[in-house]
Amino acid sequence: MSFASERSMRYARYVSLLALAALASCERVVGIEVTEGPERLVVEARLEAVRGLVVSRQEIRLSTSAPYFSNTTTPPARDAVVEVVDEENARVRLAETSPGVYRTDSLPLTVGRSYTLQIRWKGDVYEATERLVEVAPIDTLYFRARPNKSAATDGVRATIDLRDPAGTANYYLWDQFIDGVRTVAPDTLVRVRVVASDELFNGRRVRVFQPFEGIAVRSGQEVRIRQYSISEAMWRYYQALSSQTDGDASPFGVPSASVRGNVANRTRPDALALGYFSVSQVAERVARVP
């Protein structure tokens, strides 16, 4: 071994030791103080008009924001006055059936009408308005493998066909229930909820669509697919939520931020509510996996 080689090896060992020492010296517990923001009302409100039904149960959940490192459940917003008002000023009040949960069985919804949610809570009045848009029916629900995959090794997925109405922009949201339990897709492109605009298929027939292609279903399971009409504003809301959850948690990732919904505080406009109020018509199909 030459002198130059020996000196290079010693230098490499020296640098390695310095790096290890630096890592060891940097290893310590750092306490992070997160300033608690003001308490905010959180609204989970979607009115649903199921095709073929005149009236169905409506449920709205209200809670409040919690400290960042809190390990407790989100506090419910109790004792609120929750009402839905239509274009003709017909007003229906929802009763608080459990802490933060408000329900009614007597709220008919009509396609084409706008509905306003009004919440009075702790001296503030909150409002949001959405219009009920007709949804395309699901023509068929069946089961097949993903494209370019084998059912023997990859399983089958719930698959639907539908025809999108022509001449108008339509926006969709889908839910899937397996044996009564709602599922969330682990590897679909939209990670928050499965939503779509008909920009690329307006007025066309959609075949072999698998909204939850990341979830295989097994023989004997009962699968229910629900297809909702949503507004363009709600579609954009879910797109914004999706972009927040797509961060890679690296130092160069996009930092998370609050996504603003459509619920406005009429009493104190700066005291924003979180969440969204929507009104949807729902088409659904149920089938058992053969």
Side-chain angles (χ1 to χ4, degrees):
M1 178 183 295
S2 67
F3 174 74
S5 298
E6 184 178 356
R7 185 170 59 181
S8 298
M9 291 184 64
R10 287 178 181 175
Y11 177 75
R13 293 194 189 102
Y14 178 69
V15 172
S16 298
L17 288 173
L18 282 179
L20 289 173
L23 288 174
S25 64
C26 292
E27 196 173 301
R28 61 177 180 175
V29 177
V30 179
I32 300 176
E33 293 186 6
V34 178
T35 303
E36 292 184 17
E39 180 184 58
R40 298 203 185 279
L41 180 66
V42 181
V43 179
E44 299 175 64
R46 182 171 69 206
L47 304 182
E48 298 179 0
V50 180
R51 290 179 67 101
L53 296 180
V54 177
V55 178
S56 55
R57 168 167 290 184
Q58 309 296 342
E59 179 179 289
I60 292 174
R61 292 180 177 267
L62 303 180
S63 58
T64 63
S65 55
Y68 186 83
F69 291 110
S70 174
N71 293 322
T72 60
T73 57
T74 305
R78 306 188 63 171
D79 303 322
V81 176
V82 180
E83 295 180 315
V84 175
V85 186
D86 68 10
E87 295 174 347
E88 298 180 354
N89 207 33
R91 188 177 298 267
V92 174
R93 178 174 294 191
L94 285 72
E96 186 173 13
T97 57
S98 59
V101 179
Y102 301 81
R103 291 175 177 162
T104 181
D105 293 323
S106 56
L107 177 57
L109 300 174
T110 303
V111 169
R113 286 191 180 180
S114 293
Y115 296 86
T116 298
L117 172 67
Q118 294 182 344
I119 302 170
R120 295 192 291 276
W121 182 69
K122 288 191 174 182
D124 287 347
V125 177
Y126 300 85
E127 284 188 350
T129 300
E130 282 269 275
R131 189 170 71 91
L132 179 58
V133 179
E134 186 175 11
V135 70
I138 299 174
D139 293 335
T140 52
L141 167 61
Y142 51 101
F143 307 95
R144 65 167 52 186
R146 289 190 287 185
N148 302 317
K149 297 285 186 178
S150 167
T153 57
D154 191 54
V156 296
R157 272 62 174 168
T159 309
I160 61 174
D161 295 341
L162 65 119
R163 179 176 290 281
D164 178 74
T168 181
N170 296 288
Y171 301 88
Y172 297 91
L173 179 148
W174 288 273
D175 266 336
Q176 176 175 268
F177 295 80
I178 299 177
D179 291 334
V181 179
R182 186 167 72 86
T183 58
V184 178
D187 60 358
T188 49
L189 192 58
V190 180
R191 298 183 185 180
V192 178
R193 298 297 296 273
V194 182
V195 296
S197 161
D198 72 347
E199 181 180 3
L200 299 179
F201 56 88
N202 187 286
R204 296 167 56 187
R205 184 166 179 78
V206 179
R207 299 178 183 271
V208 198
F209 174 50
Q210 298 176 332
F212 295 86
E213 63 176 349
I215 299 179
V217 292
R218 302 188 305 273
S219 177
Q221 289 183 320
E222 182 185 79
V223 178
R224 179 187 302 268
I225 296 291
R226 307 191 89 207
Q227 179 171 281
Y228 304 83
S229 63
I230 61 175
S231 65
E232 180 182 0
M234 187 179 181
W235 175 76
R236 293 188 182 280
Y237 174 78
Y238 277 122
Q239 291 293 306
L241 280 179
S242 179
S243 68
Q244 290 294 321
T245 60
D246 280 344
D248 59 4
S250 74
F252 307 102
V254 178
S256 296
S258 295
V259 178
R260 184 169 180 175
N262 65 342
V263 183
N265 188 326
R266 300 304 186 194
T267 308
R268 296 180 297 137
D270 292 338
L272 301 175
L274 304 176
Y276 206 95
F277 167 65
S278 66
V279 185
S280 298
Q281 190 180 44
V282 187
E284 60 181 22
R285 286 275 184 173
V286 182
R288 193 169 293 278
V289 184

